[in-house]
């Protein structure tokens, strides 16, 4: 029995290139997709949404959807997300945006309120684990 696992990075069109040493997504031979934290950058790397966390969340989830679809999945395949916010008061507006992107039942989720993300203008970041079929 071969127990070697393989990993393949997913190159995503329509999403800004990673700004550091990470992949937007990795597919494993076990057909799990691990999606790096997505922030509210458009394809050219410009921030979308300014100080509006709901608008940022919409861009974040649009980026996440592009990554998942590029790997051959659907938002319905997202099994788990981690949501990072810099302001607790954004929880409600961001939750409403999440409902636009995730069907019922929604994925498992962990919410963390943090002092800062990778850049001070980022208000929302979401990573995911996706079960590809």
């Amino acid at each position: 029995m071969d127990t070697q696992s393989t990993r393949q990075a997913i190159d995503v069109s329509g999403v800004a290139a990673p700004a550091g040493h990470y992949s937007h997504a990795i597919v494993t031979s076990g057909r799990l997709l691990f999606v790096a934290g997505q922030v509210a950058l458009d394809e050219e790397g410009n921030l979308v949404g300014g100080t509006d966390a709901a608008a940022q969340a919409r861009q974040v989830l649009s980026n996440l959807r592009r990554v998942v679809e590029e790997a051959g999945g659907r938002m319905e395949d997202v099994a788990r997300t981690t949501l990072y916010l810099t302001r607790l008061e954004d929880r409600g507006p961001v939750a409403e945006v999440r409902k636009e992107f995730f069907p019922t039942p929604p994925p498992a989720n962990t919410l963390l309120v943090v002092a800062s993300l990778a850049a001070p203008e980022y208000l929302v970041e979401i990573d995911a684990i996706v079960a590809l079929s």
Side-chain angles (χ1 to χ4, degrees):
M1 174 183 223
D2 183 10
T3 58
Q4 288 286 81
S5 177
T6 61
R7 297 173 68 244
Q8 175 186 355
I10 301 299
D11 293 318
V12 181
S13 59
V15 175
H21 184 68
Y22 65 92
S23 299
H24 276 301
I26 296 290
V27 175
T28 69
S29 58
R31 299 298 296 161
L32 287 178
L33 173 68
F34 297 87
V35 183
Q38 299 296 304
V39 293
L41 297 178
D42 66 13
E43 188 171 351
E44 289 78 35
N46 300 308
L47 181 68
V48 174
T51 60
D52 181 343
Q56 283 200 22
R58 194 166 281 106
Q59 180 66 39
V60 167
L61 288 162
S62 293
N63 290 347
L64 178 65
R65 179 173 50 210
R66 284 188 121 148
V67 172
V68 169
E69 289 175 354
E70 191 79 21
R74 306 165 302 147
M75 291 300 274
E76 293 88 342
D77 299 326
V78 175
R80 184 185 192 293
T81 56
T82 306
L83 170 59
Y84 303 88
L85 298 176
T86 59
R87 304 181 308 212
L88 182 57
E89 62 267 22
D90 293 331
R91 182 180 187 179
V94 170
E96 289 305 310
V97 174
R98 286 183 81 248
K99 290 176 186 175
E100 298 171 19
F101 286 82
F102 292 117
T104 300
N109 182 65
T110 298
L111 169 66
L112 299 167
V113 180
V114 297
S116 179
L117 294 168
E121 62 271 17
Y122 300 162
L123 304 177
V124 179
E125 183 170 340
I126 300 174
D127 64 37
I129 299 173
V130 185
L132 299 175
S133 49

